[in-house]
Amino acid sequence: MTLPAHEHRRLVAAVTGRPFGTVTGAEALDADDRRRLDDLVSRRLAGEPLQHLEGSVSFGPLDLLVDARVLVPRPETEQVFDQAARSLGEAGPGTLVVDLCTGSGALALALKHRFPDARVIGVDVSEDALAVAKENGTRLDLEVEWLHGDLFTPLPKRLMGRVDLLVSNPPYVAEDEWADLPTDVRDHEPRVALVAGPEGTEVLARIAEEAFWWLGVGGWAVCEIGATQGAAAERLFAAYDREVRTDLAGRDRILVARKGAPCCV
């Protein structure tokens, strides 16, 4: 078995430090680089995610560190960022943004980059994930407040009714779907960030119920959902003006909801 040519080039770039666009894959490597490349190729063929081997991934305007402690941010989550930023529109010093299940910090950091005057809080139940998020924030010199806990639990109660934008890429895989996930996901990404419960919508349901009390009037909630969960998401967010939007493949993927105002922008 051999790697696809573009993956091989990406690993050569990772080993040599050269920009991907300048790598042909036929470079003469010294002995150390050749050993490192052979190791990375073997690990990739064994199913380890390419982004883990590279050590980073592009997300919107940012380059983020990723490893086995966090999900690899995907294009669908970049669309959540785009929809969230478009929904919020602008943000000043009084704007409050909360990212639940922040993982690598991708959404929180991208939104802080887009809206530098906003107060941004990232929350995750995994201390390992928060360690990665904090490292990303430090590297990017973006000031995000990181809180450890389950969904809304660690948020200060004084913030109830004041959140302007809530974003989340929550776990949304059903327990019986776990075994069918690709090997690079199932064996190398944290199960706690993927599996929500028997139905797959358990975490989304909790967010829908609790977010209503945390959002201000006109506040937005933008969540990534599973491709088959559009109808369920609309039911769960029945107390909001809401709309399910599709990803680039035309699949239901993003729940956009607004408290007390039309949601479409």
Side-chain angles (χ1 to χ4, degrees):
M1 184 185 299
T2 59
L3 289 183
H6 74 281
E7 291 196 5
H8 188 268
R9 287 173 58 210
R10 284 173 61 173
L11 293 180
V12 171
V15 166
T16 63
R18 300 174 188 173
F20 174 73
T22 68
V23 172
T24 66
E27 286 79 5
L29 304 178
D30 63 31
D32 286 342
D33 282 350
R34 172 54 61 186
R35 281 193 292 271
R36 291 175 59 208
L37 179 62
D38 289 345
D39 176 62
L40 293 181
V41 168
S42 295
R43 289 163 62 186
R44 178 63 184 141
L45 290 174
E48 194 165 342
L50 186 60
Q51 296 88 347
H52 286 182
L53 301 176
E54 294 175 304
S56 65
V57 62
S58 294
F59 184 85
L62 308 177
D63 190 60
L64 300 171
L65 299 176
V66 291
D67 58 29
R69 294 173 290 177
V70 294
L71 292 182
V72 174
R74 291 166 169 81
E76 294 84 355
T77 310
E78 287 193 69
Q79 290 182 264
V80 173
F81 161 62
D82 289 338
Q83 294 283 352
R86 183 179 167 203
S87 298
L88 187 60
E90 58 184 13
T95 303
L96 178 58
V97 177
V98 174
D99 175 19
L100 299 180
C101 310
T102 193
S104 65
L107 287 170
L109 291 165
L111 288 164
K112 182 64 177 180
H113 182 273
R114 177 69 63 88
F115 303 111
D117 291 331
R119 179 184 181 185
V120 180
I121 300 174
V123 180
D124 206 286
V125 71
S126 166
E127 290 186 283
D128 285 341
L130 283 178
V132 177
K134 290 175 183 177
E135 187 173 357
N136 278 319
T138 298
R139 287 179 64 253
L140 295 165
D141 195 25
L142 292 169
E143 186 178 349
V144 171
E145 300 170 46
W146 307 108
L147 300 180
H148 173 241
D150 185 22
L151 297 182
F152 297 92
T153 304
L155 292 176
K157 299 300 183 186
R158 65 181 180 277
L159 300 183
M160 293 188 77
R162 294 177 53 193
V163 177
D164 298 288
L165 172 64
L166 173 74
V167 294
S168 184
N169 177 17
Y172 56 74
V173 174
E175 287 175 354
D176 63 3
E177 296 174 328
W178 171 253
D180 295 326
L181 292 178
T183 301
D184 57 349
V185 176
R186 188 183 66 245
D187 293 348
H188 296 280
E189 295 190 86
R191 191 180 194 276
V192 68
L194 290 161
V195 177
E199 301 297 323
T201 55
E202 286 83 354
V203 179
L204 189 67
R206 292 178 56 202
I207 292 173
E209 180 179 358
E210 297 182 54
F212 192 86
W213 308 108
W214 289 91
L215 289 172
V217 174
W220 294 91
V222 183
C223 299
E224 186 170 331
I225 63 173
T228 63
Q229 295 173 352
E234 287 198 327
R235 289 195 300 272
L236 291 171
F237 281 81
Y240 309 74
D241 298 300
R242 76 277 189 204
E243 180 179 39
V244 172
R245 298 179 182 171
T246 57
D247 60 21
L248 295 175
R251 301 167 298 192
D252 288 348
R253 187 61 66 186
I254 305 165
L255 184 284
V256 180
R258 199 174 192 189
K259 178 179 173 179
C263 79
C264 303
V265 295

